[in-house]
Amino acid sequence: MNNNSKLLLQAQKIIPGGVNSPVRAFGSVSGVPRFIHEAKDAHVWDEEQVQYIDYIGSWGTAIVGHAHPEVVDAVCHAAQNGLSFGAPTADEICIAEMIQQIMPSMEKIRLVSSGTEATMSAIRLARGFTGRDNIIKFEGCYHGHSDSLLVKAGSGLLTFGHPSSAGVPKDLSRHTIVLPYNNVAALEQLFAQQGDSIACVIVEPIAGNMNMIPASNEFVQALRSLTDKYGSILIYDEIMTGFRVALGGAQSIHGITPDLTTVGKVIGGGMPVAAFGGRADIMECISPLGNVYQAGTLSGNPVCVAAGLKTLEIIQRDGFYRLLSARTQELSEGLCKLAREAGLPFSSRHIGGMFGFYFITGLPECYEDIQKADLQLFKQFFHAMLARGVLFAPSAFEAGFVSAAHSPEIIADTLSLAAEAFTEISREI
Ligand SMILES: *Cc1c(COP(=O)(O)O)cnc(C)c1O
């Protein structure tokens, strides 16, 4: 038995399923999850010392590459000055100002420790500000695991949501309305019927949690105009897309100014930092200024903020996004070309440093479309690549991430390994 298998057995005895977050368990691809021992630049090594080219990148946080020396130095330096104070610091102001410069819609910002906290707090704030209870989310979008957001669509199009997890009270899920993504007509109909009851709409402006599916221009325009018309708050959940699809996130691509934005992942550079922010008049409703309560023992933790500040500094250097986008494009278009040459149903998208690939003909536009992807082919491809030393997300419903450390040579290596993998799986059809 190899070290990964041994560790899995040991982990399963003490940690439910052996993992601290479900997708890590390889449930949808089967097999033994790799226990990672070390990561550097574009690579990770497992407990068998096997090297992998990594396209998970800690789910997008590792945008400058793993263990970037400048980020590691910043963390070590901060740690020597104390791990946590539970009091305000100068660096918190620096990172908030830096985020604000990059995303001007975030007029005021509060730091938290996870994306889940950021979206949960933004929704509480929207409810407090509007005095309304109902919220809208979209099918296939993920916004963390707070109760109000673990809700799936009911049977009819306009019915209230049902809990998507045990332990979420039905009464609570009744306040979450789940609509199909990229469907302007459904959104218009819902607002026409009960727009006055809607506190907020929360959206992944480029969805990355049902694989990668961008919102259409029409859809984001409708989101902005309907929320304006009915006095609802528009929340852009840019926890994945912020500093990833472009420096200024999806909102800079769409030319949309949301009322509130949530960010995470990249802003911590691999450490637990997330934030929510937006219109000053809304943000001022947060305690201690207003009566919407929100707090955190480790919020703005100095060691984490040091990693985030250095990461944000690096990504603002000349040419960062030009190179990142070029390499992501090469990968995404290369995979598409090779898969089609092998006669497989396949398509792919990329924006900035984020990509999606789907075993499907044509491009998916919503959750229903992505459900048609060939999961068996995905699974075979995933394992064919893993066996060749390339680690993609272990699910057909996750996006992929390229970092600045993925050199042209690494992308070329990935593509030649993918050519072998596609040929192998096309033989098995
Ligand atoms: C990752 C993610 C979250 C949750 O963030 P956590 O830090 O895992 O709690 C929320 N929304 C989106 C869009 C995400 O990608």
Side-chain angles (χ1 to χ4, degrees):
M1 203 190 300
N2 80 27
N3 291 332
N4 294 304
S5 306
K6 276 187 215 152
L7 285 166
L8 180 62
L9 286 180
Q10 191 184 343
Q12 283 168 337
K13 289 191 188 134
I14 182 77
I15 300 170
V19 292
N20 283 314
S21 198
V23 71
R24 298 179 193 172
F26 274 32
S28 66
V29 291
S30 43
V32 177
R34 301 310 190 251
F35 282 70
I36 303 303
H37 179 260
E38 195 182 333
K40 180 73 186 148
D41 301 329
H43 292 102
V44 295
W45 287 265
D46 71 7
E47 290 281 357
E48 283 283 302
Q49 313 309 323
V50 176
Q51 173 181 294
Y52 301 91
I53 302 172
D54 178 29
Y55 290 101
I56 301 176
S58 182
W59 302 102
T61 66
I63 197 166
V64 299
H66 290 290
H68 189 292
E70 290 179 65
V71 177
V72 173
D73 274 356
V75 167
C76 293
H77 185 77
Q80 275 160 354
N81 289 337
L83 299 181
S84 178
F85 315 126
T89 66
D91 274 356
E92 289 174 321
I93 313 170
C94 294
I95 197 168
E97 286 175 348
M98 202 179 272
I99 295 167
Q100 203 267 332
Q101 268 169 19
I102 297 172
M103 280 192 185
S105 75
M106 295 177 81
E107 295 170 0
K108 290 210 163 181
I109 292 162
R110 179 155 284 175
L111 298 180
V112 292
S113 302
S114 74
T116 294
E117 272 182 272
T119 54
M120 179 184 76
S121 305
I123 282 170
R124 183 181 305 138
L125 177 57
R127 284 172 162 160
F129 180 79
T130 58
R132 302 170 180 176
D133 288 340
N134 292 340
I135 66 172
I136 296 177
K137 78 175 283 285
F138 298 96
E139 204 177 14
C141 288
Y142 177 71
H143 306 289
H145 62 91
S146 68
D147 286 348
S148 285
L149 293 163
L150 287 182
V151 173
K152 62 184 179 204
S155 35
L157 196 56
L158 297 183
T159 56
F160 287 98
H162 292 295
S164 61
S165 162
V168 175
K170 277 209 187 66
D171 287 347
L172 186 59
S173 69
R174 285 175 46 78
H175 292 293
T176 303
I177 297 159
V178 183
L179 295 179
Y181 195 69
N182 271 335
N183 188 327
V184 174
L187 191 66
E188 281 173 343
Q189 194 182 343
L190 193 283
F191 268 98
Q193 285 179 353
Q194 46 180 314
D196 295 339
S197 78
I198 305 300
C200 65
V201 179
I202 185 165
V203 65
E204 278 188 80
I206 295 170
N209 288 287
M210 49 173 157
N211 209 317
M212 176 179 161
I213 302 185
S216 70
N217 192 44
E218 275 179 293
F219 186 61
V220 296
Q221 297 297 335
L223 285 170
R224 185 63 282 181
S225 62
L226 287 166
T227 47
D228 275 341
K229 181 171 167 193
Y230 288 91
S232 309
I233 304 302
L234 176 59
I235 304 174
Y236 256 39
D237 180 356
E238 298 234 40
I239 290 168
M240 188 177 281
T241 53
F243 324 99
R244 169 54 66 181
V245 294
L247 179 63
Q251 55 196 270
S252 71
I253 298 175
H254 292 162
I256 290 276
T257 306
D259 302 305
L260 294 177
T261 298
T262 52
V263 290
K265 295 192 169 96
V266 168
I267 65 160
M271 300 286 272
V273 184
F276 63 103
R279 267 170 49 191
D281 60 325
I282 304 177
M283 289 300 291
E284 281 163 9
C285 293
I286 288 276
S287 53
L289 291 182
N291 55 7
V292 177
Y293 191 71
Q294 191 279 331
T297 301
L298 295 178
S299 291
N301 175 273
V303 182
C304 301
V305 164
L309 261 178
K310 184 53 77 178
T311 302
L312 291 183
E313 183 195 313
I314 296 170
I315 65 178
Q316 290 182 82
R317 290 178 188 162
D318 275 355
F320 185 90
Y321 285 88
R322 190 168 35 75
L323 282 183
L324 186 69
S325 303
R327 286 167 195 173
T328 313
Q329 177 175 6
E330 238 165 86
L331 176 72
S332 161
E333 291 178 355
L335 287 174
C336 229
K337 181 168 166 283
L338 295 168
R340 288 181 185 165
E341 281 168 8
L344 294 164
F346 190 92
S347 59
S348 175
R349 281 193 177 102
H350 57 89
I351 304 179
M354 182 170 164
F355 64 92
F357 62 81
Y358 338 89
F359 285 90
I360 196 173
T361 33
L363 288 167
E365 306 293 344
C366 63
Y367 183 72
E368 201 185 332
D369 290 351
I370 190 68
Q371 295 307 306
K372 296 175 191 142
D374 189 324
L375 298 185
Q376 192 54 34
L377 279 180
F378 173 81
K379 192 171 157 175
Q380 287 172 344
F381 178 66
F382 171 84
H383 280 293
M385 291 304 276
L386 191 68
R388 289 171 171 80
V390 181
L391 182 62
F392 285 116
S395 161
F397 304 108
E398 301 287 352
F401 305 96
V402 171
S403 81
H406 287 73
S407 64
E409 294 72 32
I410 290 175
I411 302 286
D413 286 349
T414 306
L415 291 174
S416 64
L417 297 167
E420 293 175 21
F422 285 135
T423 309
E424 179 183 304
I425 67 174
S426 67
R427 271 197 230 108
E428 291 167 20
I429 295 182

PDB file of all heavy atoms in Angstrom, residues 59 113-117 119 142-145 204 208-209 237-241 262 265 274, ligand 1:
ATOM      1  N   TRP A  59      -7.483  26.074  -5.406  1.00  0.00           N
ATOM      2  CA  TRP A  59      -8.744  26.628  -5.913  1.00  0.00           C
ATOM      3  C   TRP A  59      -8.605  28.092  -6.319  1.00  0.00           C
ATOM      4  O   TRP A  59      -9.509  28.903  -6.123  1.00  0.00           O
ATOM      5  CB  TRP A  59      -9.901  26.411  -4.906  1.00  0.00           C
ATOM      6  CG  TRP A  59     -10.026  24.951  -4.641  1.00  0.00           C
ATOM      7  CD1 TRP A  59      -9.574  24.290  -3.527  1.00  0.00           C
ATOM      8  CD2 TRP A  59     -10.550  23.947  -5.517  1.00  0.00           C
ATOM      9  NE1 TRP A  59      -9.789  22.939  -3.674  1.00  0.00           N
ATOM     10  CE2 TRP A  59     -10.376  22.699  -4.880  1.00  0.00           C
ATOM     11  CE3 TRP A  59     -11.144  23.982  -6.783  1.00  0.00           C
ATOM     12  CZ2 TRP A  59     -10.777  21.495  -5.466  1.00  0.00           C
ATOM     13  CZ3 TRP A  59     -11.533  22.785  -7.362  1.00  0.00           C
ATOM     14  CH2 TRP A  59     -11.351  21.562  -6.703  1.00  0.00           C
ATOM     15  N   SER A 113     -12.361  35.988   7.369  1.00  0.00           N
ATOM     16  CA  SER A 113     -11.371  34.915   7.207  1.00  0.00           C
ATOM     17  C   SER A 113     -11.729  33.862   6.169  1.00  0.00           C
ATOM     18  O   SER A 113     -10.913  32.998   5.858  1.00  0.00           O
ATOM     19  CB  SER A 113     -11.131  34.216   8.546  1.00  0.00           C
ATOM     20  OG  SER A 113     -10.705  35.154   9.500  1.00  0.00           O
ATOM     21  N   SER A 114     -12.965  33.885   5.634  1.00  0.00           N
ATOM     22  CA  SER A 114     -13.305  32.919   4.582  1.00  0.00           C
ATOM     23  C   SER A 114     -14.378  33.501   3.677  1.00  0.00           C
ATOM     24  O   SER A 114     -15.100  34.430   4.064  1.00  0.00           O
ATOM     25  CB  SER A 114     -13.810  31.607   5.196  1.00  0.00           C
ATOM     26  OG  SER A 114     -15.109  31.785   5.706  1.00  0.00           O
ATOM     27  N   GLY A 115     -14.460  32.926   2.493  1.00  0.00           N
ATOM     28  CA  GLY A 115     -15.470  33.363   1.541  1.00  0.00           C
ATOM     29  C   GLY A 115     -16.878  33.174   2.094  1.00  0.00           C
ATOM     30  O   GLY A 115     -17.758  34.011   1.884  1.00  0.00           O
ATOM     31  N   THR A 116     -17.077  32.073   2.789  1.00  0.00           N
ATOM     32  CA  THR A 116     -18.379  31.801   3.394  1.00  0.00           C
ATOM     33  C   THR A 116     -18.813  32.941   4.308  1.00  0.00           C
ATOM     34  O   THR A 116     -19.957  33.398   4.259  1.00  0.00           O
ATOM     35  CB  THR A 116     -18.318  30.470   4.188  1.00  0.00           C
ATOM     36  OG1 THR A 116     -18.109  29.409   3.256  1.00  0.00           O
ATOM     37  CG2 THR A 116     -19.591  30.216   4.979  1.00  0.00           C
ATOM     38  N   GLU A 117     -17.878  33.401   5.123  1.00  0.00           N
ATOM     39  CA  GLU A 117     -18.194  34.527   6.012  1.00  0.00           C
ATOM     40  C   GLU A 117     -18.505  35.795   5.222  1.00  0.00           C
ATOM     41  O   GLU A 117     -19.374  36.577   5.619  1.00  0.00           O
ATOM     42  CB  GLU A 117     -16.964  34.847   6.873  1.00  0.00           C
ATOM     43  CG  GLU A 117     -16.847  34.107   8.150  1.00  0.00           C
ATOM     44  CD  GLU A 117     -15.599  34.611   8.870  1.00  0.00           C
ATOM     45  OE1 GLU A 117     -14.511  34.063   8.616  1.00  0.00           O
ATOM     46  OE2 GLU A 117     -15.704  35.563   9.646  1.00  0.00           O
ATOM     47  N   THR A 119     -19.805  36.158   2.116  1.00  0.00           N
ATOM     48  CA  THR A 119     -21.127  36.165   1.474  1.00  0.00           C
ATOM     49  C   THR A 119     -22.238  36.164   2.527  1.00  0.00           C
ATOM     50  O   THR A 119     -23.236  36.857   2.377  1.00  0.00           O
ATOM     51  CB  THR A 119     -21.309  34.937   0.560  1.00  0.00           C
ATOM     52  OG1 THR A 119     -21.039  33.757   1.309  1.00  0.00           O
ATOM     53  CG2 THR A 119     -20.383  34.996  -0.633  1.00  0.00           C
ATOM     54  N   TYR A 142     -22.189  28.720  -6.421  1.00  0.00           N
ATOM     55  CA  TYR A 142     -21.844  28.380  -5.040  1.00  0.00           C
ATOM     56  C   TYR A 142     -21.357  29.644  -4.351  1.00  0.00           C
ATOM     57  O   TYR A 142     -20.568  30.407  -4.909  1.00  0.00           O
ATOM     58  CB  TYR A 142     -20.728  27.324  -5.023  1.00  0.00           C
ATOM     59  CG  TYR A 142     -20.241  26.953  -3.638  1.00  0.00           C
ATOM     60  CD1 TYR A 142     -21.048  26.215  -2.772  1.00  0.00           C
ATOM     61  CD2 TYR A 142     -18.974  27.336  -3.198  1.00  0.00           C
ATOM     62  CE1 TYR A 142     -20.594  25.874  -1.504  1.00  0.00           C
ATOM     63  CE2 TYR A 142     -18.513  26.983  -1.929  1.00  0.00           C
ATOM     64  CZ  TYR A 142     -19.325  26.257  -1.085  1.00  0.00           C
ATOM     65  OH  TYR A 142     -18.878  25.915   0.173  1.00  0.00           O
ATOM     66  N   HIS A 143     -21.852  29.858  -3.147  1.00  0.00           N
ATOM     67  CA  HIS A 143     -21.452  31.063  -2.409  1.00  0.00           C
ATOM     68  C   HIS A 143     -21.019  30.712  -1.000  1.00  0.00           C
ATOM     69  O   HIS A 143     -21.254  31.482  -0.067  1.00  0.00           O
ATOM     70  CB  HIS A 143     -22.612  32.057  -2.375  1.00  0.00           C
ATOM     71  CG  HIS A 143     -23.160  32.404  -3.726  1.00  0.00           C
ATOM     72  ND1 HIS A 143     -22.459  33.177  -4.641  1.00  0.00           N
ATOM     73  CD2 HIS A 143     -24.316  32.063  -4.348  1.00  0.00           C
ATOM     74  CE1 HIS A 143     -23.176  33.307  -5.747  1.00  0.00           C
ATOM     75  NE2 HIS A 143     -24.301  32.641  -5.602  1.00  0.00           N
ATOM     76  N   GLY A 144     -20.426  29.549  -0.812  1.00  0.00           N
ATOM     77  CA  GLY A 144     -20.041  29.144   0.532  1.00  0.00           C
ATOM     78  C   GLY A 144     -21.164  28.358   1.177  1.00  0.00           C
ATOM     79  O   GLY A 144     -22.206  28.122   0.558  1.00  0.00           O
ATOM     80  N   HIS A 145     -20.935  27.944   2.437  1.00  0.00           N
ATOM     81  CA  HIS A 145     -21.844  26.960   3.015  1.00  0.00           C
ATOM     82  C   HIS A 145     -22.720  27.497   4.147  1.00  0.00           C
ATOM     83  O   HIS A 145     -23.114  26.762   5.046  1.00  0.00           O
ATOM     84  CB  HIS A 145     -21.062  25.713   3.440  1.00  0.00           C
ATOM     85  CG  HIS A 145     -20.038  25.979   4.503  1.00  0.00           C
ATOM     86  ND1 HIS A 145     -20.330  25.861   5.836  1.00  0.00           N
ATOM     87  CD2 HIS A 145     -18.760  26.379   4.422  1.00  0.00           C
ATOM     88  CE1 HIS A 145     -19.249  26.178   6.533  1.00  0.00           C
ATOM     89  NE2 HIS A 145     -18.283  26.495   5.700  1.00  0.00           N
ATOM     90  N   GLU A 204     -22.518  34.663  -9.087  1.00  0.00           N
ATOM     91  CA  GLU A 204     -21.139  34.502  -9.550  1.00  0.00           C
ATOM     92  C   GLU A 204     -21.125  35.071 -10.960  1.00  0.00           C
ATOM     93  O   GLU A 204     -21.702  34.464 -11.874  1.00  0.00           O
ATOM     94  CB  GLU A 204     -20.763  33.015  -9.629  1.00  0.00           C
ATOM     95  CG  GLU A 204     -20.350  32.370  -8.335  1.00  0.00           C
ATOM     96  CD  GLU A 204     -19.809  30.951  -8.596  1.00  0.00           C
ATOM     97  OE1 GLU A 204     -18.646  30.806  -9.000  1.00  0.00           O
ATOM     98  OE2 GLU A 204     -20.571  29.993  -8.416  1.00  0.00           O
ATOM     99  N   GLY A 208     -17.851  29.652 -11.487  1.00  0.00           N
ATOM    100  CA  GLY A 208     -16.705  28.751 -11.475  1.00  0.00           C
ATOM    101  C   GLY A 208     -16.975  27.517 -10.646  1.00  0.00           C
ATOM    102  O   GLY A 208     -16.086  26.704 -10.411  1.00  0.00           O
ATOM    103  N   ASN A 209     -18.203  27.375 -10.189  1.00  0.00           N
ATOM    104  CA  ASN A 209     -18.540  26.250  -9.334  1.00  0.00           C
ATOM    105  C   ASN A 209     -19.543  25.295  -9.977  1.00  0.00           C
ATOM    106  O   ASN A 209     -20.081  24.411  -9.320  1.00  0.00           O
ATOM    107  CB  ASN A 209     -19.037  26.758  -7.974  1.00  0.00           C
ATOM    108  CG  ASN A 209     -17.895  27.347  -7.140  1.00  0.00           C
ATOM    109  OD1 ASN A 209     -17.057  26.621  -6.631  1.00  0.00           O
ATOM    110  ND2 ASN A 209     -17.837  28.665  -7.021  1.00  0.00           N
ATOM    111  N   ASP A 237     -20.499  38.063  -6.304  1.00  0.00           N
ATOM    112  CA  ASP A 237     -19.608  37.171  -5.560  1.00  0.00           C
ATOM    113  C   ASP A 237     -18.382  36.910  -6.432  1.00  0.00           C
ATOM    114  O   ASP A 237     -18.409  36.068  -7.322  1.00  0.00           O
ATOM    115  CB  ASP A 237     -20.317  35.871  -5.190  1.00  0.00           C
ATOM    116  CG  ASP A 237     -19.410  34.920  -4.403  1.00  0.00           C
ATOM    117  OD1 ASP A 237     -18.218  35.252  -4.226  1.00  0.00           O
ATOM    118  OD2 ASP A 237     -19.891  33.854  -3.979  1.00  0.00           O
ATOM    119  N   GLU A 238     -17.327  37.688  -6.159  1.00  0.00           N
ATOM    120  CA  GLU A 238     -16.082  37.585  -6.947  1.00  0.00           C
ATOM    121  C   GLU A 238     -14.991  36.872  -6.144  1.00  0.00           C
ATOM    122  O   GLU A 238     -13.809  37.151  -6.313  1.00  0.00           O
ATOM    123  CB  GLU A 238     -15.617  38.980  -7.369  1.00  0.00           C
ATOM    124  CG  GLU A 238     -16.626  39.713  -8.268  1.00  0.00           C
ATOM    125  CD  GLU A 238     -16.001  40.199  -9.573  1.00  0.00           C
ATOM    126  OE1 GLU A 238     -15.189  39.458 -10.161  1.00  0.00           O
ATOM    127  OE2 GLU A 238     -16.343  41.325  -9.973  1.00  0.00           O
ATOM    128  N   ILE A 239     -15.418  35.975  -5.258  1.00  0.00           N
ATOM    129  CA  ILE A 239     -14.434  35.245  -4.446  1.00  0.00           C
ATOM    130  C   ILE A 239     -13.504  34.436  -5.349  1.00  0.00           C
ATOM    131  O   ILE A 239     -12.309  34.338  -5.095  1.00  0.00           O
ATOM    132  CB  ILE A 239     -15.160  34.379  -3.398  1.00  0.00           C
ATOM    133  CG1 ILE A 239     -15.782  35.296  -2.348  1.00  0.00           C
ATOM    134  CG2 ILE A 239     -14.202  33.370  -2.757  1.00  0.00           C
ATOM    135  CD1 ILE A 239     -16.765  34.629  -1.419  1.00  0.00           C
ATOM    136  N   MET A 240     -14.046  33.894  -6.425  1.00  0.00           N
ATOM    137  CA  MET A 240     -13.188  33.173  -7.366  1.00  0.00           C
ATOM    138  C   MET A 240     -12.680  34.073  -8.478  1.00  0.00           C
ATOM    139  O   MET A 240     -11.518  34.001  -8.869  1.00  0.00           O
ATOM    140  CB  MET A 240     -13.946  31.987  -7.964  1.00  0.00           C
ATOM    141  CG  MET A 240     -13.067  31.087  -8.792  1.00  0.00           C
ATOM    142  SD  MET A 240     -13.969  29.681  -9.410  1.00  0.00           S
ATOM    143  CE  MET A 240     -14.031  28.622  -7.990  1.00  0.00           C
ATOM    144  N   THR A 241     -13.530  34.954  -9.003  1.00  0.00           N
ATOM    145  CA  THR A 241     -13.169  35.723 -10.199  1.00  0.00           C
ATOM    146  C   THR A 241     -12.342  36.968  -9.907  1.00  0.00           C
ATOM    147  O   THR A 241     -11.636  37.461 -10.789  1.00  0.00           O
ATOM    148  CB  THR A 241     -14.444  36.157 -10.949  1.00  0.00           C
ATOM    149  OG1 THR A 241     -15.313  36.840 -10.033  1.00  0.00           O
ATOM    150  CG2 THR A 241     -15.172  34.952 -11.520  1.00  0.00           C
ATOM    151  N   THR A 262     -18.064  40.484  -2.917  1.00  0.00           N
ATOM    152  CA  THR A 262     -17.291  39.646  -1.999  1.00  0.00           C
ATOM    153  C   THR A 262     -16.049  39.160  -2.739  1.00  0.00           C
ATOM    154  O   THR A 262     -16.120  38.828  -3.927  1.00  0.00           O
ATOM    155  CB  THR A 262     -18.113  38.440  -1.511  1.00  0.00           C
ATOM    156  OG1 THR A 262     -18.651  37.741  -2.644  1.00  0.00           O
ATOM    157  CG2 THR A 262     -19.260  38.867  -0.614  1.00  0.00           C
ATOM    158  N   LYS A 265     -10.109  34.002  -1.777  1.00  0.00           N
ATOM    159  CA  LYS A 265      -9.097  33.251  -2.538  1.00  0.00           C
ATOM    160  C   LYS A 265      -7.841  34.083  -2.833  1.00  0.00           C
ATOM    161  O   LYS A 265      -6.961  34.138  -1.979  1.00  0.00           O
ATOM    162  CB  LYS A 265      -9.744  32.638  -3.773  1.00  0.00           C
ATOM    163  CG  LYS A 265     -10.797  31.583  -3.342  1.00  0.00           C
ATOM    164  CD  LYS A 265     -11.307  30.700  -4.463  1.00  0.00           C
ATOM    165  CE  LYS A 265     -12.109  29.532  -3.913  1.00  0.00           C
ATOM    166  NZ  LYS A 265     -13.557  29.749  -3.887  1.00  0.00           N
ATOM    167  N   ALA A 274     -10.618  36.956   3.348  1.00  0.00           N
ATOM    168  CA  ALA A 274     -11.668  37.279   2.398  1.00  0.00           C
ATOM    169  C   ALA A 274     -12.204  38.639   2.819  1.00  0.00           C
ATOM    170  O   ALA A 274     -11.786  39.182   3.856  1.00  0.00           O
ATOM    171  CB  ALA A 274     -12.764  36.211   2.409  1.00  0.00           C
TER     172      ALA A 274
HETATM  173  C1  LIG B   1     -14.700  29.479  -2.873  1.00  0.00           C
HETATM  174  C2  LIG B   1     -15.941  30.263  -3.027  1.00  0.00           C
HETATM  175  C3  LIG B   1     -16.728  30.633  -1.919  1.00  0.00           C
HETATM  176  C4  LIG B   1     -16.458  30.142  -0.531  1.00  0.00           C
HETATM  177  O1  LIG B   1     -15.246  30.550  -0.020  1.00  0.00           O
HETATM  178  P1  LIG B   1     -14.630  29.727   1.231  1.00  0.00           P
HETATM  179  O2  LIG B   1     -13.382  30.500   1.556  1.00  0.00           O
HETATM  180  O3  LIG B   1     -14.386  28.339   0.744  1.00  0.00           O
HETATM  181  O4  LIG B   1     -15.633  29.771   2.326  1.00  0.00           O
HETATM  182  C5  LIG B   1     -17.822  31.452  -2.139  1.00  0.00           C
HETATM  183  N1  LIG B   1     -18.125  31.894  -3.366  1.00  0.00           N
HETATM  184  C6  LIG B   1     -17.400  31.551  -4.453  1.00  0.00           C
HETATM  185  C7  LIG B   1     -17.785  32.073  -5.791  1.00  0.00           C
HETATM  186  C8  LIG B   1     -16.301  30.707  -4.319  1.00  0.00           C
HETATM  187  O5  LIG B   1     -15.616  30.339  -5.409  1.00  0.00           O
END
